[in-house]
């Protein structure tokens, strides 16, 4: 059902975790992929695996985003699928977080979607449509403890997705949001570190959800591949938890 032959995809944060798994799966299903990441070694390694192109890009910087889209334009001839996935977390309350950390989380998690999307949408429109998938979080739907900037940014991703879907639907640009629950990536280990908890205990707690386990990056990638494909042609503005029932 999911055939991505002929699709050209740009994946942010494709060097590790969910972005990496998604770049691999999109390529497996026939897409040509450009990997954008702030981490040169990790991003280049994913790009090599998918026989694609790597572009170093800090998604919070306008000029870097311009370079990423230019690279996709030059290498692939355009972008049919944009996966706005790069993200960071700071585990702190409003009383604990610094102004700089607040601004950084907002810039990486939400402003990046503005910067990247407005560069690719005109091309999608001229080619008759496209698919943008934003990475939200279960914490874009409900709140969580000591993650105030992250929750604020992911709540914004969720509602920005709806606003974009409304604005660009008439041009057949679909915009959807995948909301992972706790998923086994570097970010989850980083959260345990920030909270001063042992990773194994943290992972065990995170598995306490209806399906009884944490997510694997490929669990999320499979939903993104579906949203990228024509199999989801009538889906736009959807907020899809992929979390083993965690938000249920
Ligand atoms: P990860 O830390 O494993 O990977 C994130 C990737 O993004 C890395 O390759 C990193 O180098 C890159 N990155 C970080 N800052 C960047 C920047 N400024 N510019 C470009 N690239 C940058 O994290 P992950 O778990 O794969 O997270 C991917 C997305 O999924 C994030 O948006 C995250 O908020 C979301 N998410 C993750 C979980 C989870 O439990 N892992 C849960 C919900 C949502």
């Amino acid at each position: 059902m999911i055939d991505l032959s002929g699709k050209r995809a740009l994946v942010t944060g494709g060097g590790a975790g969910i972005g990496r798994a998604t770049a691999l799966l999109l390529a497996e299903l026939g897409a040509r992929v450009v990997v954008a990441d702030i981490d040169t070694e990790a991003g280049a390694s994913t790009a090599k695996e998918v026989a694609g192109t790597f572009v170093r890009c800090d998604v919070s910087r306008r000029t870097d985003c311009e370079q990423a889209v230019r690279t996709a334009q030059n290498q692939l001839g355009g972008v049919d699928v944009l996966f706005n996935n790069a993200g960071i977390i700071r585990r702190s309350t409003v009383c604990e977080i610094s102004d700089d950390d607040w601004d950084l989380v907002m810039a990486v998690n939400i402003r990046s979607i503005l910067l990247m999307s407005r560069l690719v949408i005109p091309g999608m429109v001229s080619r008759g449509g496209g698919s943008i998938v934003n990475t939200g979080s279960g914490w874009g739907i409900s709140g969580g403890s000591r993650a105030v900037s992250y929750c604020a940014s992911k709540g914004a991703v969720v509602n920005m997705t709806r606003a974009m879907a409304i604005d660009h639907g008439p041009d057949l640009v679909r915009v959807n949001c995948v909301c992972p629950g706790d998923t086994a990536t570097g970010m989850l280990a980083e959260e345990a570190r920030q909270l001063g908890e042992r990773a194994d205990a943290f992972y065990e707690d995170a598995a306490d959800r209806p399906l009884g386990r944490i997510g694997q990056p490929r669990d999320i990638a499979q939903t993104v591949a579906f949203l990228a494909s024509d199999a989801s042609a009538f889906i736009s503005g959807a907020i899809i938890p992929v979390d083993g029932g965690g938000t249920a």
Side-chain angles (χ1 to χ4, degrees), residues 9 40 66 85 100 106 110 112 130 162 186 200 202 225 233 236 247:
T40 299
E66 286 167 354
N85 165 75
D100 285 350
M106 289 297 168
I110 182 78
S112 60
R162 298 189 182 108
D200 53 350
F202 192 78
S236 195
T247 47

Side-chain angles (χ1 to χ4, degrees), residues 13 16-18 37-38 57-59 85 135-136 150 154 180-183 185-186:
I18 292 166
D37 204 291
I38 197 170
C57 168
D58 175 349
V59 292
N85 165 75
T135 305
Y150 187 80
K154 293 300 187 178
D182 290 320
T183 304
T185 69

